[in-house]
Every structure is written in C-alpha cells, then in structure tokens.
Amino acid sequence: MNPARSLNAQGDGRPEIHAQILRALEIVHSPRSSNVLRQDASRYLEEVRSEEEAPYHGFGLASAKEQSAIVRHYGLSLLDYAVRHRWEECTSEQSKMLRDWVVVLSHNTVEEDPPYITNKVAEIWVEIAKRSWGLGWMDMDELLLHLWDASMAQKALVLTILEILSEEVFGNDDTTAALRGSDLNRACVEIFTPADVLSEHFPTRETTINIRYGTQGWIFHMAELLDWCTRDGKIDGNQQICAVKTLFTFRSVIGWIIPRALVTTHSVHRICACLAASNMPIQLAAVDALYSLYNRSRFSEDDFKDLVGPMFKQETTNLLQRLYEWLTVDPTDIDETKYLLLKKFSEMVFNIGRLLEERPSFVPDGSDLTGFFNLLLSIMKSPSLHVSIPALHLWVKLLSSDKIGNSPTIMALIGDLLDTCSQRLIRFESLPEDSDNPSILFLNEDIDTMPEKHAFLGNYARFCNQIVELVVQKQPIDALYHILGQADHVLDHVYDGEPAFQASTYTKSSVPHLRIDAQFTVIEAALKGCLKWLTSSENPTIGHEHEVMISNLQVWCDRLLGLTFEDPLIKERVIQLAVGFAIGPLKRNARFAFKVFDFILDTRCPAYPAHMAYSDAVKDLQAFSLHQLQRLAMRFPDYLVTIFDEVERKVMSVSQSVASDEQTRARYSSVLFIIMHRATSVDAAPREARLDQFLQPMINQWQDNGLSRSLSSFDYFSRLLGLGDLQRYLSSRAVHKVQDWSSHPLDDEGKALQTHMQSALDALPLRATKTILSVSVERLDQGSQPYDMACRLWHKNIPLILPNLLQFISQSQAFHDPASWTGLPPEMQDVVRRILTDRFWQVGISQGSRDEFYAKVGDTKTTMEGFASSIRATVRTVRETGYRLLYYMSLLGEHFYSFEELPGPLSRALFTDACALSPHQMAILVDMIRPIIDNCPETSRRHFLPPILSALFERLDQKASSEWERIEERSKAAAENDDLTNEMKDESILRQLTMASVMLVVGLLEPGNPNPPPAPEVLSDQVNGDAVEHPAETTRKFILQTPEILKPLILFCTHALRMRDTRACSLIARVLRSLVPEFAGNGPVEPDVREFISAEVLKSCITSLHDPYFVELQKDFAQLIASILISYTPRTNTPKQILLSLPGMSLERVDRAVRHLDKARQNSRQQRAIALDLLEGFRGVAIHEQGKLPKPDPKKLRSAMQEKYMTVEVQANGKVKGEGSPDLGGIADMFG
C-alpha cells in the first residue's frame, strides 16, 4: 500500500486492474458464466486482496458512485481485508490513510445506498476503531458528531457504528477488542455518558487524554433523536428506519451504560413512548431495548425508582395492557411479526416482574401494582403457552416470595390463578397434533421436535403444579374445597360426550383419562401444599382446623375408593392418588393406609388377550400396583407387621392368582420382605432370622454347581438362556439371505425357541435377586436399623453371588462378539450384529410416530424380526440386571468394596468384551458405572478404582474413537442422494455415548465436586484384607496422583477434543483447562503429563481450531491453548516447538504472544484473544460464512429465555434439575 497516493487519486494509477476486477465481478455474478470461468474469476478476486495496492483499488471502487452496489461492496471488502489482516504491517501514514478513506466514504453515504453498503462502511470504521481509537486516533468522537449533524443517512450510519462498536466491545467476545484490555470499555463509557454523570460517578478518573467531543454524550443524542422520530405520532419511512436503528443501539448499550445516564436523558420514558407508536417494527425494537434494560441484575434504590418504578405507574400499566390486548394473534392464521412481538413482550414483562419480586421495598408509593398483576394474569391466560410461560414462571416467584407473596393485591387473584393452572394441567402432548385446540396450534408453530416439546410442557406443568401448591399452602381450606369440588364434578361426568368404555377400541389418550389425569394432577399438587401447611411450625392455626381438614380429606378419599372404572389407566391414577393421600396428609392414619393397600390388592381388570393395547395397559397397571404396594410397605411397616399373617395370606393369594411369571411373584414377595425388614417395632433378631430364611432359596440357586458350569463357556451359556440350538436354527434357515425379517413369518421351531427362551430367563435368579436386593437398600438412611440389618444380611451373601454374577455379565457381553458364534459360517457373521442391534425410535430421525413404532414392534412378534427381538431382550435383560445388581451392592458401602479380590475380576467382566457392545449399550454401561465409582468409600479407592477406571477409559477411548472414525469415513463416502436415516441414527446414538463418557470425566475431575458421603465401615476382621486409613482427599486429587488411571483418562480427553460433538468437546476443554495448572510443578507425575499436554493436547486443540465444524468452540480451544502456554512455557519448550511447526509461524510472533499472555494472567478474555490472534491464519470458517448454508431466519431464532424453558426440568430459580442414579429396571420395555 503506497502512502504517497492521494485520497483523490482514484482515477490515476493502474486502470487496467480496475477493468480486470470489474470483468471478474461480472463473470462471477452472471448466470451465463460457466463454472470454470466463475471459479477462475473468484480465484482472481481472492488474489487481488493480498496485493499491496489492494486498499487503494478498494477505495477507488467503493467511492465510485457510478458503479453498481456489487462493485462498491467488493471495493469495501478490499479495505476490510486490509484492516483486519494487514493492519500490523501498516505504517502510521498508511493507517491514517485507511482512517481518512473510511471517513470520506462515511460522508459520501446517501439514503439510496443499499443497507449492506452502509453496514460494511460501519464495520470497517469499527474495525479501525478497535485497533487505533484512543491510541493514534483521538478525534473519532468528533468525526462521528460531524457525521451526525449531516443528513439522516449519516445519522443512521453513526447509529450503526455505535451499535456495532458496543456489541464488539461489550457483547461479543471479539478477539481484536479483547487485545486492547479495558481501554475500549472505558472509551465507550466516556463518549456515551453525559459529562456530568461521569463526573458524579468517577470524580477521580483520568482526564489528561480526552477522546470525547462535547459534554452531552451519545445517550443524550440518541434519546433526542428517538423523541423527534416519534413525537407527533405520524411516522414516515425514514423516521421508522431511524427510530428502529436508535432503539437497536439502545438495546446494545443499555445493558452496560451507567443507569444514571438513562435517567438524566429521559431515555426510558422515550423508549416507552415507542410502545404507543402503532408501528410494529418500532414497538418490537422498543420491547427488545426494555428487555435488555430490565435484564440487568442489579439496580441501586434510586436507579430502581427512576428506571423500574415508572413501569408500575398507572399510565404505563394501562399502556402495557392495551398493547397486550392489541397483540392478539389468530392461531389459525399466525402473523409472524405480531406473534414475535407478543412473545418478546411477555419476556420483557417477566424481567420487570422479576425486579419487583427481588426488591419490592424499592417500588415507589402510589404504584399501580394491581394493574401490573392483572396484566401478568392476562399474559398467563394466553392460549399460546410460549407467551404464557414467562408469566407463569413469574407467578411462582411472586407467590414464593416472603416479601410480597402474601400481599392483599396478590391474594385477591389466587382464585384466577388456581382456575387457570387447573385448566392448563391437561397433557397437551397426548392431544392429537391436528387438534384445533389453540394451544396445540401455537405449540406446533413454536416447537419442531418432540424432545423439546416434552421438555417445554414438562416445565409448564411444573410451574402450574407449583402455583397450585403455593396457593393451597396460603389458603388451604378454601382452595382444597374448591379443588375437590371440581374433582367431584369431573368424576361424575367423566364420560359425558364420549362413548362408553370398550376394550376393543382402547387408547391411552382417551378423553375420559385425560380429564381425570388433569384433575388428579391438580389434587396431587394441592396435597403437597396441604402437607406443608399441616407441618408448618410457623402456622399458628393448629388443632381443630387441622382435624377438620384431615377428616374431610379422608371422607373424599373414601368416596374415591368406592368408585368403579373399567379403564386400566384410570384405575392406575386412582391408585396413585390414593397412595398420595395415604403417605401425604393422612400419613398418621395407618388404618387408612392399609385400606388403600387392600384396595390395590383387590384391583383387577378382566382379561381380553385379543386386544393388545388394552392387555398392555393391564400389564402396566399390575406393575404399577406392585410398586405402590412397595411404597406403602416402606412407609407403614410397623403397622403392617402387626397384622402380618393377614397381609401375607392376602398377598400370596393375589400372587398365585394373577402372577404369570417368577419375576412378578418375586415382586409380590418383596412386599412381605419390606414389611419384615423395616418394621423396627419388632425385635431385630427374629426378623433377621426370618429374612435369612426368605433369602436362602435364592442364594442356593446362585451356588448351584450346574449354574456355575453353565456360565463357564459361551455354548453352555447359550443353553442356559434357551439358545443352545440358535446357531443351528439360524444356519438351517439361511437367515442371512432374508432381506426383510419383519415380513418373514416365524416357523413352529422358531416359536418354540421363543417360548423356551422366556422360560429359561424366568428360571434364572437374576431378576428375583434384583427385586429383593433393591428393596433391601433403596431409600434407607445409612446407620438406620433396617440399613444395618441389610448390611448384615448381604455381607455374607455377596461373596456367594458375585462369582456367577460376574460370569453372567461377562458372557452376556461376549454374546455381542461375532467371534463367539463359532457355530455360524463366516458369511453369516453379520447376522450376529443384525440380531443384537437394538431397534428404537428416535424423534426427528425415525420415520413415523413413537406409537406407530411400538405398534410395528408388536406386529412383528411372530416374524423373524420378532425372533431377533426376543434374543436381544433376553441377553439385554441378563446384562442390565447384572449391572443393576452391582449398583445395589455398591449402596452397601464397604460390605461390597472391601473385598480385595473383587476389582480385577469385576474389571475383566465389565470391560473385556465391552467394545463388542453397540454405542448405545456401552452408554448404558457408562451410566451404570458412574454411581459405582461415586459410591466407593475413600478407604477403598486405592485398591478398587485403579483397575476399574483404567480399563474403563481404555475401552471408552477405543470404542468412541473407532466409532467416530467409522462415521467420518461413511460420511465422506456418502453420495448426494443417499438415504442417511441410518447414519443419522448411528451418529445420534454415538453422541449419547460420547456425552455419557464426558459427563463421567466431568464428575470425576470437575474442581470442587464434593466426595460422596462416607459409607458404613466394616471391621477389618470381617472382610478379606485389613482396613487402611488414608488422609481425606477428593476423587479428583486421587486420580491425578494415580498414573494408572490418569494416563488412559487424559488420552481419552485428548481424543475427545476431536470428536464431532460440540457440547462434549466444550466440556472436555473446560476439564483439561482445570488440569493444566496441576502439572506445572516438579512432582513424580508432573513432567511426563506436562510434556503430553504440551504436545498432544495442544496439537488436538489446534487441529480442532482449524476445523470448520468446531467454529463455535474456538474460544474454548483458545482458552485451553492459552492455559498451556501460560503454565508450561516457563518449564518446557514443547508448546513453542509445536506452534513453530505450523506453516508461516515465526519465533518472534510466538514469543510476543507468550509475553502478552504472561501479562494477562488474570484476564481470561484477553488470554483467548491473544491465542486466537496468534493462530488467526489457522482458524476454521463457519459453514454458513463459506456460503454452503444460509444463515437462520432471525424470526425463527429463539430467545435465551425460550431456550431455557426447553431445557429439562427448569426450576423456579432457573436451575436445571440434576440427574439421579441410573434406573435400568424398565430399560427392556424401551426397545424392540
């Protein structure tokens, strides 16, 4: 770039270059150009950018008004490239020339220019500002004000510059801005804020370097312009554009500006005036700006009164109510812009209400809170659940508040709140998608995928439940009377307008069931509130009112138990509600609990085996009833044990009459086991002796020599499962030649094999042991008498069970390895994978609905596919029941972990053949192992965890890496028109495995994770091996000091940085960042790990940084790279050597980055910026920026609040509910 060239010399020099550029642009944009010519022209235009004279050509083209907008935009792109990529090479004269050029172009802007021209000029201005404003460029503010005083086009340009500047400095994590540290932040505050406000807030600030021009500040100018645009109510096109741009700039600035600046410039008043403008673009921009203002976390009392207080004035609440009523949207013909405004309006009101809930004492006297709460109630009643949910969430916050929740203004509205929540607790997801219900129509518009819909509706129902609970807690007598009255009406008219029940037409989503389910859900929420009221120590109303309440509840529940229904699902809901009464408000009445217990045992449904849907519902009812019996037995063992003989006779009678398999009979027996085990009112010794007798037959099965022999080889194991003839049968039927198994009928021998499989599975001790062991240890406090008894009972039996249990797990996993199937010829090896590949439905990928999938699975039971499904189910049951038994044993603490000989065999059983499992099956294994690791007592870590964790991470690394490589290879080989459904399923499942593995790593290594609670200890003479005491240490510290675990774990993390799952990679990068400083010392482990991280982890980071797929994670990778350079370059040259191996990287550039990083140790944003600047030429480019994909439609983008409501189980405080221990018990029901 030649600095001697004049700004007005664009007509001189090399006109042939201009002509070539014009010709190349014409070829690129002409539809008649061939691909070869277009590619050559594009290549030429790319090469021009790197020429020394490119900025000169750029200015010449950009300032040539006679040229087309396409030519001028290309000229601007040349200037933009010079600023972004060659600024450091420029002399001070060249830098000034670029600044002067952009100022000239800014003054030449006219209203007729396309937006992409003016936006590009603004972007170049800001790019220059980020590099030189406050350094060599001191008069920028003055130049902007001169532009402001010109035409409306210049005003719009200035607003765009200010908006982009604010976003780059405060909003985006911009690399160039971050390299300046806080200089640009201070400069923006300086020029936006009125001088008197700055003097008031920062009386001692540095003023020797003056970068502002005038005293008013840009907030003042923006407020004045906004007032001019909307003052007379008649808004033309230019005024609308200018008002919208001003509001966009306000939105960007309002989150960081000093609040007093908004007060002194009357900005909020002028933004609120835009809400009455009857102009949707302006109203939408105003709502966005107000949302940003009230999304701020803190206001002083004075700022609250001046900025938030006006929103509670009567004139404002009236304006907001009128605007909301005007925003009514027809669900059958949705106006997208209006609907978007309505949703944003609701979120804005939420933010205002949140501030009210947090600081009610700051609200000025005379505020119209009644009007605001009525507005909030109106929004909550909106037929659009997306519009309604912010208001619903806010009502939970308000009712929960000790400061405002009991105010008369709110209490006057709780009747409406109760009615609305009762109406909204219907299961919307069970209504047909083509329903004409307005809420369903809006849902279909707002949500595309079923998981998001379920998560959203789950959060909506949770908020409704919380409101009902809070209302009942505040006014229990009146609220419960109202709710139970509604329920009586529903129960009396449940089949009104609907046909009578028929098993032949049975459906789980019948209207009568949905009616009862919704009403019972309201009652269950009310019972929670009632129970809190009854047990509240602060409630002075005790005695008579409590007695009346409990008496009325029991009378109502007695009536419920006397009703008769034929629908199995309705029977299930009746049982569930009755148990809720028994263990809730009526928990002191053990006789009533027994009445419910007896009612459950007497609940029957006639059998109609020809009607599959009905029969499945009856089976579900039986399983549910057993679970409820177990709950009652756990809650009332001391009463039930007093009538144990009667209970035992009744339970065994029912078991014999209805239980069709050993598993069900074991579950009935478990009810009796629970009573005897947990009844602390009876002497422990006779109870323990009886429980011992109860367990003995089951233990004898585990010790049977025939069982041990059957588990000694694959062939014997196959016979044990009833699959001894399977390989011969498959070969004789040549199943590998059958293309469509689901249409190939199963012959008689195949059906006989199916039956034999089920009988063989029922005869195994696995499921009965799981049932009894689960009720022995679940929901028991460590140290309680039942827990101690369970420890004694199982301590002596675990060694008798474990050898064969480990063999069950080992053989069931080896079953997935085709090499084990020696009886099949080589050409049939793929049949093994086909048989053992689970079928399951995935939303957004699988064809058809979930119900259609299950119907298809049911229809293929008597086909070859159904036969394969039976094999899968048998092996899966064995494998996952084995996992579950290990989990239950882990709850016994040292009674499981202290066996010195356990870790090796356990590790081999779990992981020797783990890679033969599918990714989905391995994800289940990972989820199972997590609580077993977490439950390990500290005293057992050193002997138990190393063999388990080292083998686990070796297998995870092997499996996940190979599967991602396979996905990548298949993706590269895929043709354009290939059906990628199976590939999408496989990738989705692999993501589940990757995420499960990464979450395991996070749980183990996340700093600050507490240790699990100490497990009960076993005396050293009670177990094999002596109990050894170790100093208290976290699991993280233990792993970092154990090379046997650390090596495979870090290797997995390194490879995970390249796995194409952005969420998993982000988490792994965060974990690795936390590990880097741990190995900066000179301990025995540190040097080797440091060298590995310096080389391999750094290389993985750079590779992923270069990959366009990971463009959204570049900041995460940059932060990790910065951490490595900061922590390790003083001790090793390896990071520098890796960086210097990159093409074009110089030692001077690396050393400069390391020096800057050392100065920025406390500023993570600046660290990221330095790393990204160092690797600027190696960063990948987003796919949509490459032109391969269009950018998303802004109207379809969801706000942060909308995304939050689609996260599973958002609580009232905005947090996401954590995961509990894995429940694999019902996993077999999910697959075919």
Side-chain angles (χ1 to χ4, degrees):
M1 185 165 60
N2 187 353
R5 290 196 179 276
S6 164
L7 292 179
N8 299 315
Q10 61 264 30
D12 304 332
R14 298 168 61 192
E16 71 278 3
I17 299 295
H18 281 209
Q20 291 172 5
I21 291 172
L22 293 175
R23 176 60 183 153
L25 286 169
E26 181 183 354
I27 291 171
V28 167
H29 293 282
S30 172
R32 294 185 294 274
S33 301
S34 67
N35 286 337
V36 174
L37 277 177
R38 187 174 288 111
Q39 290 169 3
D40 289 343
S42 297
R43 193 177 302 110
Y44 171 75
L45 293 173
E46 287 291 318
E47 291 170 354
V48 168
R49 297 193 309 175
S50 303
E51 292 185 3
E52 185 178 353
E53 300 294 317
Y56 164 74
H57 298 308
F59 176 67
L61 294 172
S63 56
K65 290 290 186 180
E66 71 279 3
Q67 295 291 351
S68 68
I70 290 175
V71 172
R72 292 168 57 204
H73 187 269
Y74 175 75
L76 290 171
S77 74
L78 295 178
L79 290 174
D80 184 60
Y81 184 87
V83 173
R84 290 178 188 268
H85 301 285
R86 299 177 59 190
W87 184 265
E88 292 183 0
E89 303 169 13
C90 293
T91 65
S92 57
E93 290 180 332
Q94 291 171 330
S95 300
K96 184 178 184 304
M97 179 177 289
L98 285 170
R99 283 203 310 268
D100 292 342
W101 279 345
V102 79
V103 171
V104 170
L105 291 171
S106 299
H107 278 283
N108 290 342
T109 302
V110 294
E111 293 179 4
E112 291 75 22
D113 285 337
Y116 60 85
I117 293 290
T118 53
N119 288 344
K120 195 66 177 178
V121 172
E123 287 174 12
I124 300 171
W125 183 300
V126 172
E127 288 300 321
I128 294 174
K130 289 188 296 187
R131 290 162 172 82
S132 63
W133 181 35
L135 298 174
W137 192 10
M138 307 303 295
D139 63 343
M140 188 186 83
D141 195 34
E142 179 181 357
L143 292 171
L144 287 173
L145 277 166
H146 290 326
L147 268 177
W148 185 263
D149 292 334
S151 67
M152 289 296 291
Q154 268 72 47
K155 278 186 169 60
L157 176 63
V158 170
L159 288 169
T160 304
I161 291 171
L162 294 175
E163 181 190 359
I164 297 174
L165 182 63
S166 171
E167 289 290 341
E168 299 285 82
V169 173
F170 290 94
N172 301 331
D173 203 354
D174 181 77
T175 301
T176 308
L179 286 170
R180 294 283 304 276
S182 59
D183 292 348
L184 291 177
N185 303 60
R186 289 195 295 268
C188 286
V189 172
E190 182 79 30
I191 68 170
F192 274 92
T193 312
D196 55 344
V197 175
L198 273 178
S199 299
E200 177 187 345
H201 276 72
F202 306 107
T204 60
R205 80 185 196 282
E206 177 63 50
T207 57
T208 55
I209 302 177
N210 187 18
I211 59 170
R212 71 178 293 146
Y213 184 74
T215 62
Q216 295 169 321
W218 282 107
I219 284 288
F220 172 83
H221 298 300
M222 289 158 53
E224 288 291 304
L225 179 61
L226 189 60
D227 182 54
W228 175 82
C229 289
T230 59
R231 186 180 303 156
D232 58 5
K234 296 179 180 178
I235 302 173
D236 61 24
N238 285 333
Q239 287 174 310
Q240 174 185 307
I241 292 171
C242 218
V244 169
K245 281 189 172 292
T246 305
L247 289 165
F248 282 171
T249 311
F250 263 118
R251 178 189 62 189
S252 175
V253 170
I254 214 164
W256 56 261
I257 196 69
I258 299 171
R260 190 52 40 183
L262 300 172
V263 176
T264 60
T265 58
H266 310 289
S267 295
V268 174
H269 172 75
R270 286 163 177 172
I271 295 172
C272 284
C274 294
L275 297 176
S278 298
N279 182 297
M280 270 202 285
I282 292 177
Q283 290 169 318
L284 185 58
V287 166
D288 269 341
L290 291 172
Y291 175 89
S292 296
L293 171 62
Y294 298 123
N295 200 40
R296 293 179 68 145
S297 57
R298 289 185 299 274
F299 288 97
S300 68
E301 184 170 357
D302 288 340
D303 290 336
F304 187 102
K305 289 180 177 178
D306 291 329
L307 295 176
V308 185
M311 303 307 291
F312 302 120
K313 289 183 177 179
Q314 187 171 14
E315 60 187 89
T316 309
T317 58
N318 288 341
L319 170 62
L320 295 177
Q321 184 70 47
R322 290 196 303 273
L323 177 58
Y324 173 73
E325 292 168 358
W326 177 78
L327 286 172
T328 302
V329 176
D330 180 1
T332 62
D333 185 20
I334 295 176
D335 181 328
E336 286 191 2
T337 303
K338 200 172 188 179
Y339 188 41
L340 178 63
L341 174 55
L342 179 59
K343 288 188 283 190
K344 287 181 176 290
F345 176 84
S346 174
E347 294 177 7
M348 177 199 74
V349 173
F350 171 88
N351 277 348
I352 297 170
R354 175 185 58 82
L355 294 170
L356 165 65
E357 180 264 330
E358 291 172 355
R359 294 287 187 272
S361 61
F362 289 1
V363 177
D365 294 336
S367 294
D368 181 25
L369 291 184
T370 300
F372 180 78
F373 290 143
N374 282 326
L375 168 66
L376 194 60
L377 186 62
S378 299
I379 297 173
M380 177 183 161
K381 292 180 177 180
S382 169
S384 166
L385 303 186
H386 264 72
V387 173
S388 169
I389 196 169
L392 191 69
H393 188 181
L394 183 55
W395 275 117
V396 175
K397 286 177 169 288
L398 292 169
L399 289 168
S400 302
S401 170
D402 295 331
K403 301 172 184 176
I404 198 173
N406 293 312
S407 67
T409 312
I410 288 180
M411 297 305 288
L413 299 174
I414 63 174
D416 280 338
L417 290 173
L418 201 57
D419 286 341
T420 303
C421 289
S422 298
Q423 295 163 10
R424 295 289 171 87
L425 277 170
I426 190 169
R427 293 185 184 273
F428 287 101
E429 61 269 37
S430 296
L431 298 177
E433 287 193 9
D434 58 355
S435 168
D436 59 0
N437 184 305
S439 294
I440 295 296
L441 296 176
F442 280 118
L443 268 178
N444 293 338
E445 170 71 17
D446 291 320
I447 306 179
D448 296 324
T449 70
M450 195 60 70
E452 288 180 330
K453 183 178 289 187
H454 283 165
F456 174 82
L457 291 173
N459 289 322
Y460 195 95
R462 191 167 300 107
F463 292 147
C464 287
N465 276 308
Q466 288 173 338
I467 289 175
V468 173
E469 179 182 336
L470 288 163
V471 167
V472 171
Q473 192 176 349
K474 293 176 184 298
Q475 292 194 356
I477 305 295
D478 294 339
L480 270 172
Y481 178 82
H482 179 73
I483 289 170
L484 295 179
Q486 284 182 328
D488 285 334
H489 179 78
V490 171
L491 290 169
D492 291 338
H493 302 276
V494 66
Y495 278 96
D496 283 5
E498 298 296 321
F501 178 83
Q502 287 187 337
S504 59
T505 58
Y506 181 78
T507 172
K508 291 186 177 182
S509 57
S510 67
V511 172
H513 170 248
L514 292 179
R515 287 173 179 168
I516 283 185
D517 176 73
Q519 196 59 50
F520 282 12
T521 302
V522 176
I523 296 174
E524 286 162 346
L527 291 183
K528 292 180 182 178
C530 177
L531 190 60
K532 288 181 179 178
W533 174 73
L534 289 170
T535 57
S536 173
S537 58
E538 299 176 1
N539 194 327
T541 309
I542 56 175
H544 179 68
E545 284 194 5
H546 284 195
E547 291 175 6
V548 170
M549 168 73 74
I550 290 172
S551 176
N552 289 338
L553 289 176
Q554 184 168 335
V555 168
W556 190 89
C557 199
D558 285 338
R559 176 180 181 267
L560 175 67
L561 296 180
L563 297 175
T564 302
F565 298 101
E566 298 178 86
D567 188 328
L569 272 181
I570 295 180
K571 286 177 181 284
E572 186 176 304
R573 287 300 278 123
V574 170
I575 290 172
Q576 184 178 4
L577 183 58
V579 172
F581 274 95
I583 65 177
L586 305 181
K587 62 183 178 181
R588 297 183 186 276
N589 189 342
R591 290 181 179 273
F592 176 77
F594 177 65
K595 185 175 183 177
V596 176
F597 188 93
D598 200 48
F599 172 82
I600 297 173
L601 288 172
D602 288 336
T603 299
R604 300 279 198 284
C605 284
Y608 297 108
H611 307 308
M612 187 173 296
Y614 171 81
S615 298
D616 288 344
V618 172
K619 291 179 183 177
D620 292 342
L621 171 63
Q622 185 182 63
F624 182 81
S625 298
L626 276 164
H627 177 64
Q628 298 305 308
L629 288 172
Q630 290 174 340
R631 289 182 70 194
L632 290 171
M634 289 179 182
R635 290 298 188 99
F636 302 96
D638 289 322
Y639 176 78
L640 293 173
V641 79
T642 63
I643 52 172
F644 186 79
D645 291 341
E646 178 185 350
V647 171
E648 184 178 27
R649 282 195 300 272
K650 184 70 175 281
V651 169
M652 297 311 295
S653 172
V654 172
S655 173
Q656 291 170 9
S657 63
V658 303
S660 58
D661 56 78
E662 285 299 324
Q663 167 70 0
T664 306
R665 283 189 280 274
R667 293 190 67 188
Y668 275 108
S669 298
S670 72
V671 176
L672 301 175
F673 184 95
I674 292 169
I675 297 170
M676 189 58 62
H677 176 217
R678 305 198 183 202
T680 55
S681 60
V682 181
D683 288 345
R687 286 192 293 119
E688 190 168 338
R690 184 158 184 176
L691 293 174
D692 244 340
Q693 293 174 1
F694 185 92
L695 291 178
Q696 198 55 50
M698 188 170 60
I699 301 302
N700 291 340
Q701 275 190 282
W702 283 102
Q703 290 186 282
D704 181 72
N705 291 331
L707 179 64
S708 302
R709 188 168 53 253
S710 296
L711 292 168
S712 62
S713 71
F714 179 82
D715 289 338
Y716 284 145
F717 179 68
S718 299
R719 295 176 195 171
L720 181 66
L721 298 187
L723 297 172
D725 291 331
L726 175 62
Q727 297 185 60
R728 178 197 58 77
Y729 176 78
L730 294 174
S731 298
S732 65
R733 301 308 189 271
V735 295
H736 61 293
K737 297 180 180 178
V738 179
Q739 295 298 316
D740 185 4
W741 285 4
S742 60
S743 62
H744 189 79
L746 193 62
D747 58 24
D748 290 341
E749 185 179 354
K751 293 176 182 177
L753 272 173
Q754 263 184 330
T755 304
H756 186 41
M757 268 189 278
Q758 186 61 50
S759 300
L761 183 62
D762 288 342
L764 298 178
L766 283 164
R767 291 191 290 182
T769 307
K770 185 196 78 169
T771 299
I772 301 302
L773 184 53
S774 68
V775 300
S776 300
V777 295
E778 283 193 316
R779 299 178 186 174
L780 285 178
D781 295 328
Q782 292 181 4
S784 65
Q785 188 198 95
Y787 182 84
D788 291 342
M789 183 181 291
C791 290
R792 290 194 299 272
L793 283 170
W794 290 104
H795 175 73
K796 56 193 174 187
N797 289 320
I798 285 178
L800 307 178
I801 295 174
L802 271 175
N804 281 337
L805 174 60
L806 298 184
Q807 281 298 103
F808 267 119
I809 294 173
S810 180
Q811 293 290 1
S812 64
Q813 292 189 168
F815 207 87
H816 290 263
D817 186 356
S820 301
W821 295 56
T822 55
L824 291 180
E827 65 269 17
M828 293 190 68
Q829 291 298 304
D830 284 342
V831 169
V832 179
R833 297 185 183 89
R834 188 173 174 184
I835 288 174
L836 297 175
T837 299
D838 289 318
R839 290 183 297 172
F840 47 91
W841 184 82
Q842 287 181 281
V843 65
I845 299 176
S846 301
Q847 295 180 350
S849 67
R850 185 199 302 263
D851 290 341
E852 290 171 343
F853 167 78
Y854 284 124
K856 183 178 179 181
V857 170
D859 291 342
T860 60
K861 283 185 178 179
T862 57
T863 66
M864 188 60 70
E865 184 60 58
F867 181 65
S869 181
S870 298
I871 300 170
R872 284 194 293 272
T874 300
V875 178
R876 181 171 59 238
T877 299
V878 171
R879 184 179 67 249
E880 293 178 4
T881 303
Y883 294 165
R884 196 66 178 171
L885 282 169
L886 291 175
Y887 164 68
Y888 290 135
M889 289 178 182
S890 76
L891 296 178
L892 296 168
E894 290 287 1
H895 296 273
F896 170 70
Y897 291 97
S898 59
F899 296 108
E900 291 289 342
E901 67 276 13
L902 172 61
L906 177 60
S907 175
R908 289 190 293 274
L910 289 173
F911 305 122
T912 297
D913 293 298
C915 286
L917 299 174
S918 70
H920 172 74
Q921 292 155 353
M922 197 161 187
I924 292 174
L925 172 60
V926 173
D927 285 336
M928 178 281 303
I929 203 69
R930 282 179 62 180
I932 293 178
I933 295 167
D934 292 340
N935 292 339
C936 180
E938 186 180 337
T939 53
S940 297
R941 282 179 189 161
R942 294 192 181 279
H943 91 272
F944 184 84
L945 289 184
I948 301 296
L949 288 178
S950 59
L952 169 63
F953 283 108
E954 285 172 5
R955 290 296 182 265
L956 285 179
D957 188 24
Q958 180 183 346
K959 183 68 175 180
S961 298
S962 63
E963 290 292 331
W964 278 113
E965 288 174 7
R966 188 176 62 82
I967 290 283
E968 284 293 294
E969 291 172 2
R970 199 160 67 176
S971 176
K972 292 174 183 176
E976 184 176 349
N977 297 322
D978 285 355
D979 180 5
L980 300 179
T981 301
N982 289 332
E983 284 77 359
M984 291 169 64
K985 287 181 182 178
D986 291 347
E987 186 169 340
S988 174
I989 295 164
L990 183 53
R991 289 181 193 281
Q992 294 172 22
L993 170 60
T994 305
M995 200 64 209
S997 306
V998 167
M999 290 308 296
L1000 174 63
V1001 173
V1002 171
L1004 293 172
L1005 295 182
E1006 190 80 315
N1009 275 3
N1011 279 333
E1017 296 183 1
V1018 179
L1019 296 178
S1020 58
D1021 59 353
Q1022 292 180 311
V1023 296
N1024 297 325
D1026 296 330
V1028 181
E1029 291 188 4
H1030 302 288
E1033 62 180 357
T1034 62
T1035 306
R1036 170 188 169 94
K1037 184 178 179 181
F1038 168 73
I1039 290 173
L1040 298 187
Q1041 294 176 346
T1042 309
E1044 182 183 350
I1045 302 173
L1046 186 61
K1047 180 180 177 181
L1049 192 154
I1050 288 189
L1051 189 61
F1052 168 77
C1053 291
T1054 305
H1055 293 157
L1057 289 171
R1058 295 290 301 128
M1059 295 175 189
R1060 299 174 83 82
D1061 184 297
T1062 52
R1063 186 176 168 217
C1065 285
S1066 176
L1067 289 170
I1068 283 294
R1070 188 179 75 190
V1071 169
L1072 285 170
R1073 282 203 310 272
S1074 78
L1075 294 185
V1076 167
E1078 300 278 358
F1079 301 101
N1082 292 316
V1085 176
E1086 280 88 335
D1088 289 343
V1089 177
R1090 181 166 59 240
E1091 286 301 312
F1092 182 85
I1093 293 175
S1094 297
E1096 301 306 321
V1097 173
L1098 182 57
K1099 285 191 284 189
S1100 286
C1101 278
I1102 295 171
T1103 305
S1104 293
L1105 191 75
H1106 181 67
D1107 191 334
Y1109 180 85
F1110 294 108
V1111 69
E1112 293 180 359
L1113 299 183
Q1114 288 183 358
K1115 294 168 188 173
D1116 298 83
F1117 295 133
Q1119 192 71 64
L1120 178 52
I1121 291 169
S1123 298
I1124 293 171
L1125 293 176
I1126 290 171
S1127 298
Y1128 294 166
T1129 47
R1131 295 183 174 276
T1132 175
N1133 278 324
T1134 303
K1136 286 186 180 181
Q1137 292 169 359
I1138 296 297
L1139 291 169
L1140 290 172
S1141 68
L1142 298 173
M1145 186 67 72
S1146 66
L1147 180 60
E1148 179 187 1
R1149 188 174 171 186
V1150 173
D1151 285 341
R1152 183 172 65 246
V1154 171
R1155 287 196 303 273
H1156 289 166
L1157 283 170
D1158 190 57
K1159 294 177 182 177
R1161 284 176 175 268
Q1162 305 303 317
N1163 189 328
S1164 58
R1165 184 186 182 209
Q1166 203 164 6
Q1167 292 171 16
R1168 289 195 298 272
I1170 294 167
L1172 289 171
D1173 182 63
L1174 173 66
L1175 296 166
E1176 176 62 34
F1178 304 94
R1179 294 165 59 183
V1181 180
I1183 295 175
H1184 66 75
E1185 292 180 13
Q1186 297 173 357
K1188 295 180 181 179
L1189 287 176
K1191 289 187 177 182
D1193 181 357
K1195 289 184 180 179
K1196 298 295 184 183
L1197 292 177
R1198 294 180 182 136
S1199 67
M1201 189 177 292
Q1202 289 171 340
E1203 290 288 354
K1204 180 179 69 175
Y1205 290 132
M1206 291 189 201
T1207 302
V1208 175
E1209 297 201 12
V1210 176
Q1211 299 174 349
N1213 58 8
K1215 295 181 180 178
V1216 179
K1217 188 174 180 181
E1219 297 178 12
S1221 63
D1223 183 4
L1224 307 179
I1227 206 78
D1229 297 331
M1230 296 173 58
F1231 308 104

